[in-house]
Amino acid sequence: MDSAEKQEIKRVFELQRSHRGAMRQKTAEQRKAMLARLLEAVKANKEEIIEAVRQDVRKPYREVEIAEYWGTVKSIEHNIANLEQWMAQIEVTSTLRPDASGRLMYEPKGVCLVLGPWNYPFMLTMVPLASAIAAGNCAIVKLSDLTEQTSRAAAKVIREAFDEKEVAIFEGDVDVATELLDQPFDHIFFTGSTRVGKIVMTAAAKHLASVTLELGGKSPTIIDEGYDLLEAAKKIAVGKFVNAGQTCIAPDYIFVKESQQDAFAKALEAVAKAGFFGEDGQLSKEKFAQIVNERNFNRIKHLVDDAIACGAEIVFGGQFDQADRTIHPTVLKNVTPDMAIMQEEIFGPVLPMMTYDSLEEVIEYVNERDKPLALYLFSTREDAISQVLNHTTSGNAAINDVVVHFSDLNLPFGGVNASGIGSYHGIYGFKAFSHEKGVLFA
Ligand code: NAD
C-alpha cells in the first residue's frame, strides 16, 4: 500500500478521534436515529447486497436473504427497540457505608475497528457495527479481502447512512487491515480465524485496546442414545450443510453410539438428499453453496483423502467437483482422533462421525482440546444434559438443535479462549462496545 493510502487511514482515524467526544453526548433518541439510517440504507439496497454476496461467494439466494439481510435487519431493529433500557444507569447499593450509593454507567469506548470474515460477509460486519453505534462509538469497518463486491455494497450502505466522522469503511486487502490495526483504536472487534485472531490481539496489545474476538474451531455434536435419530439428523444436516459447511458454528464432528452410527448416517443421507439435491438426483446449485476458493477446496479434499487413507469410510457423498468448486454433503465413519480431519476446523460440508461408549469419555475428549465455539447435545435425559453442560466449557451450547442459538438475541454469542474472547448480540453487543464505569456517591 502506498503512503497516500496510509495517510488516508490516519486522516479518517484522527477525524473520528476528534469526533468521539460529540458522539458520546448523543442521546438515546439520536443514536436510534443513526441506527434507523443504517436500517433504511440496508433495506434500500437489499437486492444489491444479496447480489454482491452471491457474486463473492456463490450460495443460494434464500440462504443469503435469511442470513445476510434478515440477520442484519433483525439485529438493528432489536437495538432500536431496546436501546433506551440498555442505556439506563443502574443504581447499586454500596458495601462501603449505608449512606453511600453506587451507579453503573455505560459509556462509549470511543473509536472502534470492526474487521469481518468472508463467510457471512455483510451480516458479520453490520451486526457488530450496529452494536458499536448503539453504544455511542465512532467506527471504522473493513470487510474481508475475499469479498470485494460485498465490500463495495457495504461501502454504499455506510456512505448513504453516515458521515465518515461517524462511521467509515475501507476496502482493500490485508495490508489495509494491517495499517488499520496500527492505529490506537479504543476497541477492536474481529471475526475470523483463530490464527488471525492472534495477530489482531498482538496489534491491540501495542495500544492496550480492548478486543472482542469471534473466532472458530471444532464444535462437537453429541447424540445421546434414545434421541430420535431422524429429528437430530434434520437439524444437523441444515446446520452442517448450509453455506456448504462454511459456518463458524456448524457441527464440526459427531459423537454417536456405535450401534446407532449406521442408522444415523442413513437418516442424514435422506435429509441431505431431500434438502440439497434436485429432482434429477443432482446436487442443486440453487440449494447448495460453493467452496469459497481453490485453497479451501484443496484443503478439505486433503482432509478427506487423508482420513480414507487412515481407515475412515465414506458413508455417503465424497464427490469433489474441482471445476465447479463444489463438494457434495459427505459423511465419514470409523474416524479416529489422530486423523488430520480431527485436528483442524473442517469448514466444509464434510461430517466425520466418531463412536463412544460413555458420556464421560466424550467429556474427556472435549476437555483435552481447545474450548469449542459451540457444543451441541441431542438428548432427552435431564441427567445427561446436566452432566455435559456442567463438565465442559464452550462459547455457547445448544440442546436438541444446532446453530440457531446465533439468532437468539437475548443470548450472548461468542467463544472462549481459542474460539474467542468476549461476546456480542443484543445487550451483550452493547456492553462489548461500552465501558462499564462504576461510580461511587459518597
Ligand atoms: P480470516 O481470519 O482469514 O480473515 C478474517 C479477516 O481478517 C478478514 O477481513 C481478512 O481480510 C483479515 N485478515 C486476514 N489476514 C490478516 C492479517 N494477517 N492481518 C490482519 N487482518 C487479516 O478468517 P476467514 O477465513 O475470513 O473466516 C473463517 C474463519 O472465521 C473460521 O475460522 C470461522 O470459524 C471464523 N468465523 C468465526 C465467526 C464467529 O462469529 N465466531 C463467524 C464467522 C467466521
Side-chain angles (χ1 to χ4, degrees):
M1 98 179 308
D2 59 31
S3 69
E5 286 172 300
K6 285 187 180 180
Q7 280 312 314
E8 179 61 4
I9 287 175
K10 282 199 170 58
R11 181 190 69 77
V12 174
F13 178 79
E14 289 305 332
L15 181 70
Q16 292 205 349
R17 258 210 145 166
S18 61
H19 187 62
R20 68 182 171 175
M23 280 290 280
R24 64 174 293 152
Q25 298 309 318
K26 285 198 191 290
T27 61
E29 278 315 310
Q30 288 168 324
R31 292 188 199 178
K32 284 198 304 193
M34 284 185 72
L35 288 164
R37 278 182 354 235
L38 179 61
L39 185 62
E40 200 181 306
V42 170
K43 285 184 172 172
N45 290 283
K46 177 182 176 186
E47 294 307 325
E48 210 164 304
I49 295 162
I50 294 175
E51 199 36 51
V53 174
R54 275 159 59 80
Q55 275 180 31
D56 284 333
V57 269
R58 193 188 80 203
K59 37 181 165 177
Y61 181 95
R62 191 83 183 116
E63 269 186 29
V64 181
E65 186 184 32
I66 292 172
E68 304 279 350
Y69 178 74
W70 284 114
T72 303
V73 165
K74 291 286 164 205
S75 170
I76 301 172
E77 287 175 347
H78 185 75
N79 277 284
I80 293 173
N82 293 283
L83 186 56
E84 231 141 315
Q85 194 190 332
W86 298 342
M87 284 175 73
Q89 297 177 3
I90 299 168
E91 303 296 327
V92 295
T93 45
S94 168
T95 61
L96 207 59
R97 285 196 323 260
D99 61 335
S101 67
R103 188 179 295 171
L104 304 183
M105 290 174 71
Y106 290 100
E107 57 185 28
K109 290 207 164 166
V111 183
C112 301
L113 175 64
V114 176
L115 293 175
W118 59 263
N119 62 337
Y120 294 91
F122 190 75
M123 184 261 294
L124 289 177
T125 320
M126 291 298 148
V127 171
L129 173 64
S131 294
I133 295 164
N137 296 281
C138 300
I140 296 180
V141 168
K142 159 101 177 58
L143 277 68
S144 166
D145 50 300
L146 298 182
T147 53
E148 225 172 280
Q149 300 302 324
T150 315
S151 215
R152 196 147 306 147
K156 181 165 182 251
V157 165
I158 285 173
R159 286 172 192 143
E160 269 174 39
F162 304 111
D163 188 281
E164 65 176 357
K165 63 180 187 285
E166 300 167 333
V167 179
I169 181 166
F170 281 93
E171 299 171 62
D173 57 15
V174 171
D175 286 351
V176 176
T178 305
E179 188 59 29
L180 284 166
L181 284 170
D182 219 25
Q183 312 306 313
F185 281 95
D186 297 298
H187 187 77
I188 301 174
F189 188 106
F190 169 79
T191 305
S193 62
T194 302
R195 181 186 71 80
V196 180
K198 290 177 185 172
I199 296 173
V200 170
M201 193 155 174
T202 304
K206 235 167 87 186
H207 304 290
L208 290 176
S210 53
V211 291
T212 306
L213 302 178
E214 296 284 339
L215 311 177
K218 294 180 85 64
S219 297
T221 303
I222 309 156
I223 320 249
D224 189 20
E225 217 170 8
Y227 196 86
D228 186 318
L229 293 180
L230 184 60
E231 272 309 298
K234 280 181 187 162
K235 291 172 173 171
I236 291 168
V238 173
K240 177 70 188 187
F241 299 129
V242 71
N243 202 17
Q246 301 167 110
T247 302
C248 57
I249 44 175
D252 188 88
Y253 62 93
I254 301 283
F255 261 121
V256 61
K257 286 276 175 138
E258 172 129 40
S259 59
Q260 298 194 301
Q261 185 174 215
D262 290 334
F264 176 63
K266 249 193 168 54
L268 266 180
E269 183 173 11
V271 176
K273 289 228 156 99
F276 303 107
F277 288 71
E279 281 176 5
D280 56 357
Q282 299 297 312
L283 189 65
S284 163
K285 284 184 189 174
E286 279 71 52
K287 296 179 179 174
F288 200 73
Q290 194 178 39
I291 300 301
V292 66
N293 56 20
E294 187 94 356
R295 192 177 62 77
N296 272 292
F297 181 92
N298 291 335
R299 183 186 57 78
I300 300 163
K301 184 161 190 318
H302 168 75
L303 291 179
V304 173
D305 289 346
D306 174 83
I308 291 163
C310 296
E313 252 178 73
I314 292 180
V315 188
F316 70 88
Q319 291 93 324
F320 290 78
D321 182 343
Q322 183 104 30
D324 192 48
R325 254 186 8 247
T326 41
I327 301 174
H328 283 220
T330 299
V331 171
L332 299 173
K333 73 174 191 177
N334 299 340
V335 171
T336 51
D338 50 308
M339 295 176 181
I341 200 159
M342 293 309 297
Q343 313 298 323
E344 63 175 84
E345 183 180 10
I346 298 169
F347 227 56
V350 178
L351 189 56
M353 294 191 295
M354 294 204 294
T355 57
Y356 71 96
D357 290 321
S358 69
L359 280 180
E360 285 77 13
E361 188 187 323
V362 174
I363 289 168
E364 196 182 320
Y365 181 90
V366 171
N367 287 341
E368 276 172 356
R369 287 163 175 79
D370 282 345
K371 294 166 191 164
L373 183 56
L375 181 144
Y376 305 118
L377 170 64
F378 288 83
S379 178
T380 51
R381 299 188 299 134
E382 284 298 325
D383 55 340
I385 296 170
S386 308
Q387 188 185 356
V388 170
L389 287 179
N390 293 336
H391 289 91
T392 58
T393 299
S394 53
N396 287 96
I399 306 301
N400 301 335
D401 213 331
V402 298
V403 173
V404 290
H405 61 283
F406 184 88
S407 305
D408 190 329
L409 300 179
N410 282 335
L411 290 175
F413 177 83
V416 47
N417 296 131
S419 57
I421 292 180
S423 62
Y424 74 129
H425 285 188
I427 190 170
Y428 305 98
F430 173 83
K431 287 187 178 180
F433 285 96
S434 299
H435 166 59
E436 190 176 46
K437 182 160 76 177
V439 184
L440 176 75
F441 290 86

